[in-house]
Amino acid sequence: MASTSINPSSLLPLELIDKCIGSRIWVIMKGDREVVGTLCGFDDYVNMVLEDVVEYENTQEGKKVTKLDIILLNGNHVTMLVPGGGGPEL
Amino acid sequence: MAPPEKDDAGRKKKESIVDLSRFIDKKVRVKFQGGREAMGTLKGYDALLNLVLDDAIEYLRDAPDSERVTEDTRSLGLIVGRGTAITIIAPADGMEQIANPFANPDAEE
């Protein structure tokens, strides 16, 4: 394990995501895609199961919005996560 | 310096080459794969370089030229940045834009 000690009173990122289970989360991907949904769970790779999802795509013309029921989001392209986030302003 | 100790399988123990504890509660600028950039106060991190940033803002890119980052920003709040997508972590006051040193090849000796 890392020999440089991590300050125990600082916040672990995956703990913060864990606290967010059951609430809305705004997920920003590497490309121009963002997703807002209720976080049902996630795994070590931060693949996520999300419910009542709204997907925002930034295309040339503007934002495209799609609504989805329950999804498995592949964690490969996840860049940022905003707990309790409302999503991008339209 | 003594070599890192080996575990039972003979592999070297993983030691982090960066120490982010010095950035805790400081503003950092983070660049991601795919061109996104964010700035925020570092509140936490882990060995995989996932970050917790507070009062984070994202620098928005030029719409026609998405390689270039503008001064337009949007506020994100408390975010987790994925270590798998991070390319650069720098102190916020550690970067400044300078004139292009390669701009005029004729002037170079």
Side-chain angles (χ1 to χ4, degrees), chain A residues 18-40:
Chain A
D18 188 67
K19 285 186 192 178
C20 187
I21 292 183
S23 4
R24 297 297 279 173
I25 189 167
W26 172 15
V27 183
I28 301 174
M29 318 295 273
K30 285 182 192 173
D32 284 318
R33 195 187 297 257
E34 308 176 11
V35 154
V36 178
T38 304
L39 179 61
C40 299

Side-chain angles (χ1 to χ4, degrees), chain B residues 21-41:
Chain B
S21 59
R22 59 202 172 107
F23 289 138
I24 287 277
D25 291 325
K26 304 233 178 6
K27 273 194 145 174
V28 290
R29 184 155 177 158
V30 185
K31 297 197 194 209
F32 297 96
Q33 283 176 346
R36 290 194 190 263
E37 291 189 38
M39 167 133 80
T41 308

Side-chain angles (χ1 to χ4, degrees), chain B residues 9-68:
Chain B
R11 288 184 297 268
K12 285 184 265 181
K13 275 192 198 161
K14 290 266 168 148
E15 225 179 78
S16 187
I17 59 172
V18 287
D19 178 21
L20 292 181
S21 59
R22 59 202 172 107
F23 289 138
I24 287 277
D25 291 325
K26 304 233 178 6
K27 273 194 145 174
V28 290
R29 184 155 177 158
V30 185
K31 297 197 194 209
F32 297 96
Q33 283 176 346
R36 290 194 190 263
E37 291 189 38
M39 167 133 80
T41 308
L42 184 66
K43 285 295 184 183
Y45 60 96
D46 62 16
L48 301 171
L49 238 42
N50 296 315
L51 308 177
V52 179
L53 296 178
D54 202 357
D55 296 322
I57 57 173
E58 178 183 0
Y59 290 91
L60 302 170
R61 287 166 290 170
D62 245 4
D65 172 20
S66 64
E67 301 278 308
R68 209 154 59 95

Side-chain angles (χ1 to χ4, degrees), chain A residues 54-71:
Chain A
V54 183
E55 173 189 11
Y56 301 91
E57 258 175 294
N58 293 337
T59 63
Q60 296 283 14
E61 316 90 63
K63 284 188 166 60
K64 190 173 90 163
V65 172
T66 319
K67 288 186 177 62
L68 308 156
D69 266 344
I70 186 158
I71 69 169

Side-chain angles (χ1 to χ4, degrees), chain A residues 65-80:
Chain A
V65 172
T66 319
K67 288 186 177 62
L68 308 156
D69 266 344
I70 186 158
I71 69 169
L72 168 65
L73 181 65
N74 192 320
N76 249 302
H77 293 106
V78 170
T79 301
M80 292 182 263

